[in-house]
């Protein structure tokens, strides 16, 4: 059973515009949420995280929003740049577990 | 600083042959270690994790096994590869103890395995 879902396998955005990537989870015990960025043939790299006590975390062009009642988080990239083109994975984990659960990824293409 | 090494980067193996992928971590002690697989068009699937030497938890029944002979060494093996074992294998580590943290995992660079 997929506990973390990314329902959009791909997204295309014009350079300079906003990219919004979405993620849904099912387990209300999750209290940490992360976004990873992955280029082809490379390991994922950590991008940004948020804990369940917050509803927003910002780091430069990247902002993650958490809606706990809807069990939904999103990653906003503003402005989008061609170098942002990659696969983005969201992940969720609970402080009583040993692992993070990953979504299936969203492939972002930023068009110059 | 902590680093994670994973090798080889690419591997082409015939069906029925054995497999051994190695992962080592430097700069930390007693990390949690993980093996993930990304199959074509799929997300990241957790295969095994280890919280200590000789302690292996399997998440998905399959043709693979894992071992942790040393604190910072994690090995993924198979006695006989199947075509379905093809994929991108990732090793990861974290320092969390029994729970998630805002720092997540640090991943290795991955191994592209093609079974022919």
């Amino acid at each position: 059973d997929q506990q973390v879902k990314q329902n959009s396998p791909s997204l295309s955005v014009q350079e300079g515009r906003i990219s919004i990537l979405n993620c849904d989870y099912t387990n209300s015990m999750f209290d940490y949420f992360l976004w990873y960025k992955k280029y082809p043939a490379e390991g994922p790299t950590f991008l940004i995280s948020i804990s369940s006590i917050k509803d927003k975390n910002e780091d430069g062009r990247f902002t993650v929003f958490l809606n706990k009642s809807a069990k939904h988080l999103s990653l906003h990239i503003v402005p989008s740049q061609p170098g942002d083109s990659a696969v983005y994975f969201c992940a969720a984990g609970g402080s009583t577990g040993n692992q993070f659960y990953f979504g299936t990824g969203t492939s972002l293409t930023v068009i110059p | 600083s902590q680093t994670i090494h994973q090798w080889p980067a690419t591997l082409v193996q015939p069906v029925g042959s054995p497999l051994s992928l190695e992962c080592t971590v430097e700069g930390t002690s007693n990390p949690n270690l993980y093996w993930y697989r990304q199959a074509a068009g799929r997300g990241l699937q957790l295969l095994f994790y280890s919280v200590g030497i000789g302690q292996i938890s399997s998440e998905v029944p399959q043709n693979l096994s894992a071992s942790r002979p040393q604190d910072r060494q994690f090995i993924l093996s198979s006695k006989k590869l199947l075509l379905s074992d093809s994929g991108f294998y990732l090793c990861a580590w974290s320092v969390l103890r029994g729970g998630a943290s805002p720092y997540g995992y640090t991943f290795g660079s991955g191994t592209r395995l093609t079974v022919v």
Side-chain angles (χ1 to χ4, degrees):
Chain A
D1 184 30
Q2 192 77 19
Q3 298 199 49
V4 179
K5 297 180 181 179
Q6 293 175 258
N7 292 319
S8 297
S10 62
L11 175 68
S12 291
V13 173
Q14 287 291 131
E15 181 178 3
R17 306 293 292 270
I18 184 172
S19 295
I20 300 177
L21 296 91
N22 294 303
C23 179
D24 296 294
Y25 62 95
T26 58
N27 191 336
S28 59
M29 298 300 291
F30 289 153
D31 47 15
Y32 283 113
F33 306 89
L34 302 92
W35 285 94
Y36 282 84
K37 178 179 179 180
K38 183 182 181 300
Y39 293 115
E42 295 183 9
T45 55
F46 172 78
L47 192 57
I48 192 169
S49 68
I50 189 168
S51 72
S52 58
I53 62 173
K54 294 185 175 181
D55 55 19
K56 176 183 175 181
N57 189 26
E58 196 171 351
D59 184 2
R61 296 186 296 114
F62 302 91
T63 303
V64 56
F65 295 91
L66 176 64
N67 183 332
K68 284 175 289 184
S69 60
K71 296 189 180 68
H72 177 84
L73 66 155
S74 61
L75 175 68
H76 292 208
I77 307 174
V78 182
S80 301
Q81 299 174 354
D84 296 329
S85 297
V87 176
Y88 289 79
F89 290 96
C90 67
S95 52
T96 58
N98 270 315
Q99 62 169 295
F100 280 95
Y101 295 87
F102 285 81
T104 50
T106 296
S107 178
L108 172 66
T109 302
V110 180
I111 304 166
Chain B
S1 63
Q2 302 92 352
T3 56
I4 179 168
H5 303 281
Q6 187 179 343
W7 67 92
T10 60
L11 192 59
V12 180
Q13 292 283 98
V15 169
S17 64
L19 172 73
S20 180
L21 302 180
E22 189 165 343
C23 172
T24 59
V25 180
E26 295 178 358
T28 187
S29 296
N30 199 21
N32 281 10
L33 297 173
Y34 304 83
W35 278 111
Y36 278 85
R37 176 172 61 197
Q38 183 186 16
R42 303 283 299 276
L44 296 175
Q45 180 186 40
L46 179 64
L47 303 176
F48 301 95
Y49 71 89
S50 171
V51 298
I53 295 174
Q55 301 179 61
I56 308 295
S57 295
S58 174
E59 290 296 305
V60 181
Q62 61 217 323
N63 186 41
L64 303 169
S65 62
S67 61
R68 186 170 177 173
Q70 301 180 42
D71 179 43
R72 287 169 284 182
Q73 183 185 31
F74 205 24
I75 298 172
L76 183 69
S77 304
S78 175
K79 293 182 179 179
K80 289 185 178 181
L81 284 169
L82 306 172
L83 287 174
S84 58
D85 292 323
S86 293
F88 192 60
Y89 288 82
L90 290 156
C91 180
W93 74 274
S94 73
V95 294
L96 60 90
R97 293 289 177 265
S101 83
Y103 308 107
Y105 302 152
T106 299
F107 284 90
S109 53
T111 296
R112 170 69 61 191
L113 172 66
T114 304
V115 182
V116 297

